Amino acid sequence: MIRVRAGALVLAAAAALTGCGGADETDLGDPDAPGAAEPRAESPAATLVCAEAATAVPRPTALPGEVPLPSDAVLTGSEERSGGRLVVTAVTPGDFRSTLAFMQRAYPAAGLTLKEGEVEDRDAESNFAGKGLVGRWTLREIPDCDGDTLVTVLVARA
C-alpha cells in the first residue's frame, strides 16, 4: 500500500511539472533537461515518506554548501545525473507555506537569484542561478502526511 501510494505521488508530481508553464532551455518534459528537478520514478531519490518516518541520508559532498535546505528537512535521497547535475530530495515537517517562505528568503540570501518560478496551492517551483551555480527547486505538499512538504533540488555548476 505504501509503495503504491508513493509511486502514485511521484507520478502525480511528475505530471504536475510537465503541465506547468512553457518550454525553454530547462524543458521539464525531458528528465535530463538542465532544469528537470524531479527524480525519475525508479531512482532512489524518488522515495516519498512522511517526515516522521523518513530515514536520513548524508548530505552529498557534491551538493554545494551555498544551496540552502530547511533546517528541519530530512535529506532522503540523491541522484547524480549527466552533465555534473545532482538531484537531492528531502522532506520537511514544515507546512507548504512556511517551507515556501523559507526557500524564497534563503536562496536570495545565499546569493542565488530566483527566476521563472510558479506557486500554486500545494506546489511551487523556481529556477535559480548565482555563485557559479544553476538549478531548480520544487516543493510539493505530501498528502496524508499532516502537511509535510517534499523538497527537491537540482543543482549544477554553471
Side-chain angles (χ1 to χ4, degrees):
M1 173 76 171
I2 292 173
R3 284 187 183 180
V4 171
R5 185 171 63 195
L9 289 173
V10 169
L11 291 175
L17 272 181
T18 57
C20 295
D24 62 6
E25 71 277 359
T26 59
D27 183 6
L28 299 176
D30 176 0
D32 284 326
E38 284 299 308
R40 295 180 194 98
E42 72 275 8
S43 78
T47 304
L48 289 178
V49 295
C50 298
E52 67 184 26
T55 301
V57 299
R59 184 177 173 115
T61 56
L63 181 61
E66 300 90 348
V67 176
L69 293 172
S71 62
D72 60 354
V74 178
L75 189 63
T76 58
S78 66
E79 176 185 352
E80 292 188 25
R81 294 208 181 154
S82 63
R85 294 171 299 144
L86 176 71
V87 176
V88 295
T89 55
V91 62
T92 178
D95 66 85
F96 171 75
R97 290 287 167 196
S98 63
T99 304
L100 175 61
F102 168 83
M103 300 296 272
Q104 290 175 328
R105 284 190 317 268
Y107 276 69
L112 302 169
T113 302
L114 299 178
K115 56 185 179 176
E116 300 163 354
E118 180 177 78
V119 176
E120 296 178 0
D121 287 340
R122 292 182 177 90
D123 65 78
E125 58 266 341
S126 180
N127 293 340
F128 63 86
K131 295 199 168 187
L133 302 172
V134 294
R136 181 174 182 82
W137 54 255
T138 65
L139 304 177
R140 303 283 179 265
E141 185 178 284
I142 304 173
D144 302 324
C145 285
D146 297 325
D148 294 356
T149 304
L150 175 67
V151 179
T152 308
V153 179
L154 176 133
V155 64
R157 297 278 174 200

